[in-house]
C-alpha cells in the first residue's frame, strides 16, 4: 500500500522525482541592523538616533512554476526574501506566480549551460534553490538533461558567481541500490524513466564535492493536498517509503536558508500523523553534518 501511494504521488510530481557559516546565513525576516550615527563635536563623539537599515536576501529558484517550486516561491516571499524565479515559460509563470514587488520572473533553462545561467541568476543572488524536475516523455535522456546535467549547470553557475548557498530538492530512494532497495517497486518504477534516481544521485554527489554550502532535501512521495501530520526528518539513506505534502517540502526548503544547522546536510523527509511536532532547529540539528 505504501509503495503504491509513493508511486502514484511520485508520478504526479513529474518527480522533482566551505563548512558551515559561523552565524546563520539568513534570517527568517529581512535583516535589521541598528546603526548609530556619530557626530563629532569638538573632541567629543555624540550618538544620534538609531537608524534601522533593512536588507532583503535574494534567492534564485530554478523550476519556479513546478508544483513544488511555486510553493517554495510563496514560502520565501512570506518570509521576507526577494525572489528571482527562473522559468522556461514566462506567460505560464505570470499566470500562476503571485504579483509581488519582491518577485522577479526571468526565463531560465537549466539545460542551456552554466554561463547562460550565471547571467540570468545575476551577481546579486545570495542563494540558489533547485526545484526542477524532468517532464515524463519518450526521451530517455530527459532525466539526465534536467536532473543531472541541469543541476550541475546550476552548481557551476553558482561557482562562477561566488554564490555559496545551494539547496536541492531531490528524492528518497536515490541511493536505493546501496540501501538494499533495488527490488523496491518505487525504486524500479522511478528508474524506468531513464534511470531518474541514478541521475539525481550523481547530481547530489557533484554538489557535495563542489565546496558550496549545500542542503539536499529528499522528500518522499509528493502530495498536492495540505499537510497531514508532522514532518519526520531522517539522515540520508534511511527512508524507503512514505509521503509528504509539497507545502511541507517548500517550508523545509525555506527554513534551510534560515537555520545554521541545515548546512552541509542531506536530509530525508516524510510526514506522519503520529509524529510529534518539532521545531526546524531541532529537526535539522539532529542530523549529522556530512
Amino acid at each position: 500500500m505504501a509503495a503504491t501511494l509513493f508511486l502514484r504521488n511520485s508520478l504526479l510530481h513529474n518527480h522533482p522525482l566551505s563548512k558551515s557559516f559561523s552565524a546563520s546565513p539568513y534570517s527568517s525576516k529581512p535583516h535589521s541592523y541598528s546603526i548609530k550615527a556619530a557626530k563629532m563635536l569638538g573632541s567629543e563623539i555624540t550618538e544620534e538616533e538609531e537608524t534601522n537599515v533593512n536588507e532583503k536576501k535574494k534567492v534564485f529558484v530554478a523550476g519556479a512554476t513546478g508544483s513544488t517550486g511555486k510553493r517554495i516561491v510563496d514560502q520565501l516571499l512570506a518570509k521576507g526574501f526577494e525572489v528571482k524565479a527562473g522559468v522556461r515559460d514566462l506567460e505560464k509563470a505570470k499566470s500562476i506566480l503571485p504579483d509581488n514587488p519582491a518577485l522577479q520572473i526571468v526565463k531560465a533553462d537549466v539545460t542551456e549551460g552554466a554561463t547562460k545561467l550565471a547571467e540570468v541568476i545575476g551577481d546579486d543572488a545570495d542563494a540558489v534553490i533547485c526545484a526542477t524536475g524532468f517532464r515524463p516523455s519518450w526521451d530517455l535522456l530527459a532525466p539526465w538533461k534536467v536532473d543531472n546535467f541541469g543541476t550541475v549547470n546550476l552548481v557551476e553557475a553558482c561557482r562562477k558567481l561566488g554564490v555559496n548557498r545551494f539547496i536541492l530538492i531531490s528524492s528518497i530512494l536515490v541511493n536505493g541500490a546501496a540501501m538494499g532497495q533495488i527490488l523496491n517497486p518505487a525504486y524500479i518504477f522511478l528508474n524506468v524513466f531513464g534511470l531518474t534516481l541514478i541521475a539525481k544521485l550523481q547530481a547530489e554527489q557533484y554538489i557535495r564535492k563542489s565546496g558550496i554550502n549545500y542542503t539536499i532535501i529528499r522528500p518522499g512521495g509528493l502530495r498536492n493536498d495540505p499537510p497531514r501530520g508532522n514532518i519526520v526528518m531522517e539522515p540520508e539513506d534511511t527512508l524507503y517509503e512514505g509521503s509528504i505534502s509539497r507545502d511541507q517540502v517548500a517550508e523545509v526548503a525555506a527554513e534551510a536558508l534560515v537555520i545554521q544547522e541545515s548546512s552541509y546536510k542531506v536530509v530525508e523527509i516524510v510526514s506522519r500523523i503520529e509524529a510529534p511536532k518539532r521545531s526546524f532547529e531541532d529537526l535539522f540539528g539532529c542530523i549529522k553534518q556530512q
Side-chain angles (χ1 to χ4, degrees), residues 198-229:
I198 295 173
K200 286 179 177 290
L201 179 63
Q202 290 195 11
E204 287 188 11
Q205 292 168 344
Y206 192 91
I207 294 168
R208 296 169 76 163
K209 295 176 181 177
S210 70
I212 292 176
N213 180 351
Y214 64 84
T215 305
I216 296 171
I217 300 167
R218 297 176 176 176
L222 292 165
R223 303 192 310 265
N224 290 320
D225 55 313
R228 297 197 307 269

Side-chain angles (χ1 to χ4, degrees), residues 94-108:
K94 291 175 184 177
S95 68
I96 66 175
L97 293 177
D99 182 9
N100 189 309
L103 173 64
Q104 179 184 2
I105 301 173
V106 295
K107 188 173 180 59

Side-chain angles (χ1 to χ4, degrees), residues 33-135:
Y33 300 101
S34 179
I35 299 177
K36 291 187 177 181
K39 180 171 65 176
M40 179 70 75
L41 292 177
S43 60
E44 294 182 334
I45 297 178
T46 62
E47 292 179 346
E48 293 188 332
E49 280 187 28
E50 294 187 357
T51 305
N52 288 325
V53 179
N54 289 326
E55 178 191 349
K56 287 187 176 181
K57 295 294 184 180
K58 181 171 285 187
V59 182
F60 180 86
V61 179
T65 56
S67 297
T68 302
K70 64 186 179 183
R71 288 169 167 84
I72 291 174
V73 169
D74 290 339
Q75 282 282 342
L76 293 174
L77 292 172
K79 291 180 180 298
F81 289 96
E82 289 186 351
V83 179
K84 183 179 281 190
V87 304
R88 287 185 293 183
D89 187 333
L90 290 173
E91 291 306 312
K92 176 183 176 182
K94 291 175 184 177
S95 68
I96 66 175
L97 293 177
D99 182 9
N100 189 309
L103 173 64
Q104 179 184 2
I105 301 173
V106 295
K107 188 173 180 59
D109 187 335
V110 296
T111 67
E112 292 184 346
T115 299
K116 192 166 184 178
L117 278 173
E119 294 173 359
V120 175
I121 293 170
D123 58 8
D124 58 346
D126 297 288
V128 168
I129 298 178
C130 178
T132 56
F134 84 98
R135 296 176 180 175

